[in-house]
Amino acid sequence: MIGIVSYGGYIPKLRLQRMSIFASMGWFAPAVMAVAQGERSMCNWDEDSLTMAVAAARDCLAGMDKKKVDALYLCSTTLPFADRQNSGIVSTALNLNENVLTADFTASQKVATTGVATALDALKGGEKKSVLVVAADKRDAKTAYFYEMWFGDGAASLLLGTENVIAEFLGSYSISRDFVDHYRGSMSKYDYNWEERWVRDEGYSKIIPEVVNGLLKKCNLTPKDISKFVFPCFFKREHRGIAKTLGFSPEQVVDNMHEVCGETGAAHCLAMFISALEEANPGDKILVASFGQGSDALLFQVTDNIKKLPARMGIKGSLANRKEVDSHQKFLKFRDLIQTEMGIRAEAPTQTALTTLYRKRDFLLGFIGGECRKCGTRQIPMHDICVNPDCGSVYSQDPVEFADTSAIIKTFTADMLSVSVDPPNIYGMVQFETGGRILADFSDCELSDVNVGKKVKMAFRKRYYDKERGFHGYFWKAIPEAEA
Amino acid sequence: MATGIKDKVAIIGMGCTRFGERWDVGAEELMVEAFQECIEDAGIDKKDIQAAWLGTCMDEVNVGKSALPLSMSLRLDKIACTRVENFCASGTESLRGAVYAVASGAYDICLAMGVEKLKDTGYGGLPAGGSSSGSLNWLWLPALTAPGSFAQLASAYAAKYKVPDDDLKLALAHVSAKSHANGALNPKAHLRKAVTVEQILAAPIIAHPLGLFDCCGVSDGAACAIVTTPKIAKDLGKKDFVSIKALQLALSSGEEMGFNAWDGDHFLTTSKASTEAYKEAGVKDPRKEISMMEVHDCFSITEFVTMEDLHISPRGGALKDVMDGFYNLDGGVPCQVDGGLKCFGHPIGASGLRMIYEMYLQLHGRADKRQLKDPKLGLTHNLGGFPFMNVCSIAIVGKYGV
């Protein structure tokens, strides 16, 4: 059987209250009030599509044998590198086998379903046994327009394979059509959007029905056979209307998460699909369609195995882990959409030695440390000579992963002098329960969230952006866990 | 078998500039200013100096590399000059080079210079290194500042000894208030204003829990010493001169950062270096035998925990001693007699020698309003780097043969 083996989701903890956008820019663009309901997810300043992809993929791989993954497809329209394979960074961060086939699927909002369909083809062909698909997007929009309200940030991941399938693949149907509702030139920061009425009437309202009918006909099914119908569309009325025209009842249509998250770009159809999987029962048929210069529609049927899947954050858990942000200015600053005085201190050099990065990639991207064969002491970063003062063995360490090891805070501070997009800069020493410690930046927290002895989890985050050279630097940070 | 440095080298002259925001001069002029006082004090000719050491840390925003800035500023004519850098221990390292050179018999008279020009960066605080702080460090270490790295001692100390945050904060305010009181008495100090504990507690936070007055001044300055053998000192007609009793250095092995034993609340290096220094100087009970100290109070918490690492306050006992005024000018072991880094200022490379300078003045009875009664032994301490990875230097000085 071919299908979905596991899923994972990641929605950033921060949720911008949409009314804060209206409060700051409503004088300029009163019309945005029409979509100012609820909240939209927003990346912390140190999050982007890559970091969210890693988070969703880690969630997806929980309880899975990741060394068996033989392909990784990363789907996004907002990847940090135009020429340095982004999926390769994700693969290194996840410590997948180096013999994995990695590929970036990009340049359309429909790429997540394209990635899944391609993965399923590879599984059908028999060359691959386990393919990880991750979709993530962090889309920027000029301020004071609908898209700033509509968009959210997020990531979703599916592990596709042939064993322990939780949702069997039943069929797919694709349309490729150069319908340019929006585009972003290769050197442009923002999308150029055509009139919404046209996008709604000629785009969503025609392409979605066409692809869904195509798939249903191919599978010899009718809308009544489908338990849940998933497709992204930020026009709330059309979202319901299109489904109704197709013959789906409102109960069959999966919520587009506008009020709680916003549309997470290329990841959104998978994020919505996962939200449906989280509620699904064995036997349910779920149809998911994307939208972007055409559409891919995919049909799955949930199996009994879904009950055996280990607990995970998923989309539901991610949405529940939230912190409200009332400051639209903070949103703009985090995305570098407004210029603030950063001081001369911020002019320190930011060049990355690519040789160093390459030599230490297992540590810097994969958070790999060492364990001494002689004394058993774990240490990160790994050194040629064991750190245990009573050992000191030379070349005695085996690599060991630290990312999923539970850890506590040993020391901390909140630094107002250090250059930071979100002062104070909170950092300190984190100690792993199975041995080893590291000085780490903390993220997704305030001073009141940290204390000596408190538990933290490690997360792959952005450390710096070298504007002069266009380089994004990543490392692992400590995230204090929410109080139980 | 090593016999240590005690009484093998004499200090026959010292000089120290006024510390502060010296917009009027650069490192070159600061060195000349300190040197003129020093050579006059020593009463020798510049040509008698056979070798010299230069301690400076932030060369990128300062003098640049090599010891040429020293030899050229002072017009030292084709003699041996060496630049040393070991974070905040750079000044003491410069002295160590000169002292060991004399002790070895390689030279008769040597100069130790420490200088730092920090106020040419355009912003407050120490310079930020960015990717020039090490190609690997930059890729993973948090964007630490000095206050942020030392502030962590406070969170760890409070947790370990179960001290309420407010009690610790109050004790730290007493540490700074004492140094301000001392600095106010010193015409060469950067900050010469007494402040109250209330003012200190109300100051804006720099790095939690440290406020503005918990942090030392970032200053420009230079200090230097001329050293020779006790025999030459006597031949030069010096009586009652100061000699080195101990010089110790200890560096982290990486244990603090990597091995789960240290609690982040104090300095392993200081604890070791001070023990070695007392042994070298023949000090049995430092709390009774040390007359005065200049320690590395880059931040109030650094001074606070250092009192325990110097084995003067017992473990967990610094709070009581601080609140009792044990380290005040009229206390059991006066500390930061000249105002400390806190108020005299902290031009990194000069600090170690500036500390020795105050001990030297005190031992000669030349400390004016700050003069202590009949001091015997003075201890100086530098701590370079960060609590989790550092360089500690300790010197003990006293009158020769006493």
Side-chain angles (χ1 to χ4, degrees):
Chain A
M1 189 188 287
I2 286 169
I4 296 162
V5 175
S6 177
Y7 62 79
Y10 181 78
I11 306 294
K13 186 177 178 181
L14 302 183
R15 308 296 154 78
L16 179 67
Q17 301 306 296
R18 287 201 179 90
M19 276 308 291
S20 73
I21 304 177
F22 185 78
S24 89
M25 295 309 295
W27 62 274
F28 178 79
V32 298
M33 184 63 194
V35 290
Q37 309 85 15
E39 58 194 29
R40 58 154 293 174
S41 59
M42 66 176 255
C43 279
N44 206 331
W45 70 269
D46 60 356
E47 295 186 289
D48 65 7
S49 296
L50 260 195
T51 68
M52 292 192 294
V54 170
R58 288 176 74 198
D59 192 41
C60 182
L61 291 171
M64 304 291 140
D65 184 357
K66 66 183 180 184
K67 292 295 176 192
K68 285 190 176 158
V69 172
D70 40 27
L72 166 66
Y73 302 158
L74 175 61
C75 314
S76 173
T77 63
T78 52
L79 293 170
F81 290 96
D83 190 349
R84 173 192 176 189
Q85 199 180 38
N86 298 280
S87 50
I89 302 171
V90 173
S91 175
T92 311
L94 296 171
N95 293 307
L96 299 185
N97 193 327
E98 261 205 342
N99 296 116
V100 72
L101 175 83
T102 49
D104 293 353
F105 286 62
T106 187
S108 172
Q109 292 299 312
K110 71 167 179 178
V111 284
T113 50
T114 311
V116 172
T118 309
L120 292 162
D121 283 348
L123 292 167
K124 262 194 284 187
E127 269 299 305
K128 302 280 180 260
K129 298 275 183 275
S130 178
V131 182
L132 182 65
V133 177
V134 197
D137 246 340
K138 178 193 179 185
R139 298 175 73 190
D140 275 331
K142 286 179 190 164
T143 192
Y145 198 49
F146 294 121
Y147 295 93
E148 186 184 29
M149 292 272 191
W150 276 326
F151 291 169
D153 302 324
S157 178
L158 293 178
L159 182 64
L160 302 149
T162 55
E163 288 170 21
N164 303 316
V165 167
I166 62 166
E168 184 185 6
F169 174 59
L170 299 183
S172 72
Y173 190 86
S174 291
I175 295 171
S176 180
R177 186 171 297 157
D178 193 29
F179 177 81
V180 192
D181 57 315
H182 76 277
Y183 70 92
R184 178 160 45 90
S186 61
M187 301 303 280
S188 304
K189 185 171 171 62
Y190 299 106
D191 295 347
Y192 189 80
N193 299 288
W194 212 250
E195 185 181 4
E196 284 86 27
R197 298 173 62 81
W198 176 69
V199 177
R200 196 181 65 194
D201 297 345
E202 278 297 298
Y204 283 100
S205 298
K206 291 197 174 162
I207 293 172
I208 297 290
E210 199 177 325
V211 77
V212 170
N213 283 328
L215 178 57
L216 290 175
K217 193 176 167 197
K218 186 175 164 185
C219 298
N220 206 15
L221 295 169
T222 69
K224 290 194 175 45
D225 301 314
I226 305 299
S227 315
K228 293 288 177 188
F229 174 34
V230 176
F231 75 105
C233 177
F234 36 59
F235 305 111
K236 197 84 183 177
R237 193 185 298 170
E238 274 62 32
H239 190 235
R240 283 188 230 109
I242 291 166
K244 193 178 172 189
T245 311
L246 273 163
F248 290 98
S249 68
E251 296 74 40
Q252 285 170 288
V253 183
V254 172
D255 179 61
N256 71 356
M257 311 197 301
H258 172 73
E259 283 80 4
V260 293
C261 178
E263 186 169 294
T264 59
H268 205 56
C269 56
L270 291 194
M272 288 171 65
F273 176 67
I274 289 167
S275 77
L277 271 179
E278 286 168 338
E279 305 291 324
N281 295 307
D284 285 357
K285 289 192 182 72
I286 307 177
L287 191 158
V288 54
S290 55
F291 181 80
Q293 296 87 51
S295 172
D296 309 302
L298 302 159
L299 184 62
F300 294 92
Q301 183 163 24
V302 177
T303 74
D304 287 334
N305 285 331
I306 198 157
K307 294 175 185 166
K308 297 181 208 153
L309 191 71
R312 60 206 51 237
M313 285 295 276
I315 294 300
K316 199 177 179 180
S318 293
L319 285 173
N321 179 34
R322 60 188 277 282
K323 183 177 165 183
E324 293 181 12
V325 175
D326 286 317
S327 165
H328 182 226
Q329 282 82 4
K330 186 180 251 192
F331 170 82
L332 296 176
K333 177 63 195 167
F334 279 15
R335 300 174 98 86
D336 202 21
L337 301 176
I338 48 170
Q339 253 195 330
T340 57
E341 177 58 74
M342 297 303 284
I344 299 177
R345 179 173 288 277
E347 293 173 13
T350 53
Q351 191 196 43
T352 302
L354 299 176
T355 39
T356 309
L357 176 64
Y358 179 67
R359 280 196 303 273
K360 299 290 182 183
R361 65 190 184 280
D362 287 350
F363 164 57
L364 295 168
L365 298 177
F367 210 50
I368 298 274
E371 183 176 297
C372 180
R373 285 185 296 276
K374 295 278 167 58
C375 73
T377 299
R378 285 191 175 194
Q379 45 216 286
I380 184 165
M382 198 193 291
H383 269 265
D384 285 343
I385 302 176
C386 179
V387 72
N388 178 356
D390 297 325
C391 176
S393 297
V394 183
Y395 304 132
S396 63
Q397 291 173 53
D398 292 323
V400 56
E401 287 186 31
F402 276 76
D404 295 322
T405 310
S406 54
I408 55 153
I409 297 171
K410 277 299 277 185
T411 69
F412 69 91
T413 189
D415 189 340
M416 289 300 294
L417 181 63
S418 175
V419 174
S420 173
V421 175
D422 187 24
N425 194 8
I426 302 176
Y427 52 87
M429 182 174 276
V430 160
Q431 180 157 303
F432 298 95
E433 280 171 9
T434 48
R437 48 170 57 176
I438 194 161
L439 273 154
D441 283 308
F442 295 176
S443 195
D444 285 0
C445 66
E446 294 175 17
L447 177 57
S448 57
D449 299 323
V450 293
N451 233 325
V452 174
K454 189 157 183 177
K455 283 191 170 178
V456 296
K457 278 186 174 157
M458 301 308 294
F460 183 76
R461 290 291 174 99
K462 191 187 295 207
R463 260 179 61 73
Y464 60 91
Y465 176 52
D466 178 353
K467 281 189 181 173
E468 205 178 324
R469 303 172 189 83
F471 191 85
H472 300 263
Y474 300 87
F475 189 57
W476 292 76
K477 298 187 182 180
I479 314 288
E481 286 190 39
E483 300 289 351
Chain B
M1 180 70 185
T3 54
I5 199 71
K6 185 179 179 182
D7 281 342
K8 289 178 181 168
V9 178
I11 303 177
I12 56 165
M14 287 202 78
C16 182
T17 67
R18 180 171 63 78
F19 280 17
E21 291 174 324
R22 295 292 303 268
W23 310 118
D24 55 330
V25 287
E28 296 78 7
E29 293 84 4
L30 287 164
M31 285 191 277
V32 172
E33 190 178 322
F35 182 70
Q36 287 308 109
E37 180 188 349
C38 182
I39 192 111
E40 210 170 292
D41 181 39
I44 60 165
D45 193 276
K46 190 168 79 177
K47 290 195 171 59
D48 298 331
I49 297 170
Q50 295 163 322
W53 275 258
L54 170 65
T56 191
C57 184
M58 306 279 185
D59 61 285
E60 304 88 344
V61 296
N62 188 4
V63 291
K65 298 209 182 295
S66 90
L68 284 165
L70 173 67
S71 62
M72 291 172 72
S73 295
L74 301 187
R75 303 292 184 210
L76 300 174
D77 192 17
K78 296 186 279 294
I79 64 165
C81 292
T82 304
R83 177 180 167 235
V84 291
E85 186 279 301
N86 221 351
F87 279 155
C88 298
S90 300
T92 303
E93 280 287 35
S94 149
L95 180 70
R96 204 161 150 262
V99 164
Y100 284 5
V102 165
S104 75
Y107 297 106
D108 289 329
I109 299 179
C110 292
L111 169 72
M113 172 67 76
V115 68
E116 208 80 34
K117 175 71 190 174
L118 292 174
K119 297 309 296 180
D120 278 345
T121 58
Y123 56 95
L126 292 177
S131 53
S132 63
S133 59
S135 69
L136 179 57
N137 289 344
W138 155 250
L139 298 179
W140 71 276
L141 269 179
L144 299 160
T145 64
S149 58
F150 285 89
Q152 294 171 60
L153 289 163
S155 56
Y157 188 95
K160 182 166 180 173
Y161 294 103
K162 300 190 168 49
V163 179
D165 290 347
D166 289 347
D167 291 6
L168 183 58
K169 178 92 179 153
L170 180 66
L172 298 182
H174 277 263
V175 168
S176 295
K178 169 265 299 159
S179 299
H180 271 274
N182 297 352
L185 303 175
N186 195 335
K188 285 188 174 179
H190 181 171
L191 305 171
R192 298 204 55 208
K193 222 168 128 183
V195 293
T196 65
V197 166
E198 291 70 33
Q199 280 175 301
I200 293 168
L201 290 174
I205 294 292
I206 303 298
H208 176 85
L210 305 178
L212 182 64
F213 289 106
D214 291 297
C215 309
C216 74
V218 173
S219 328
D220 305 324
C224 58
I226 292 173
V227 296
T228 187
T229 64
K231 181 177 180 307
I232 295 170
K234 283 176 200 162
D235 293 348
L236 286 167
K238 306 281 177 192
K239 290 173 194 131
D240 205 25
F241 53 85
V242 171
S243 66
I244 306 286
K245 306 293 183 186
L247 261 184
Q248 288 293 331
L249 198 73
L251 277 77
S252 298
S253 69
E255 179 186 337
E256 299 96 318
M257 268 178 104
F259 189 61
N260 292 5
W262 177 65
D263 285 323
D265 61 307
H266 74 115
F267 298 95
L268 297 183
T269 51
T270 304
S271 188
K272 163 86 184 310
S274 62
T275 303
E276 293 298 320
Y278 297 140
K279 205 189 292 175
E280 189 172 31
V283 171
K284 301 271 184 316
D285 183 351
R287 194 176 170 99
K288 292 210 172 69
E289 295 174 58
I290 298 294
S291 321
M292 56 187 174
M293 303 190 289
E294 291 290 338
V295 306
H296 200 85
D297 59 331
C298 50
F299 302 95
S300 55
I301 185 68
T302 318
E303 177 176 334
F304 180 93
V305 304
T306 297
M307 297 302 102
E308 297 179 13
D309 286 324
L310 293 175
H311 311 291
I312 294 191
S313 292
R315 288 282 168 214
L319 194 133
K320 182 177 183 302
D321 279 340
V322 165
M323 297 307 287
D324 286 350
F326 186 75
Y327 298 110
N328 292 359
L329 211 51
D330 58 356
V333 183
C335 187
Q336 315 312 77
V337 184
D338 67 359
L341 302 177
K342 175 74 198 78
C343 293
F344 201 111
H346 185 26
I348 303 173
S351 283
L353 282 157
R354 174 230 101 211
M355 294 172 169
I356 304 273
Y357 177 75
E358 177 68 9
M359 302 291 96
Y360 179 86
L361 293 181
Q362 290 282 351
L363 289 165
H364 282 301
R366 284 155 48 184
D368 199 22
K369 288 180 187 162
R370 310 178 306 283
Q371 184 61 50
L372 301 169
K373 191 171 170 287
D374 200 21
K376 295 279 188 298
L377 287 179
L379 178 146
T380 68
H381 157 263
N382 303 115
L383 198 287
F386 317 94
F388 49 83
M389 171 179 86
N390 60 72
V391 178
C392 172
S393 63
I394 288 179
I396 298 175
V397 294
K399 286 289 180 62
Y400 177 71
V402 175

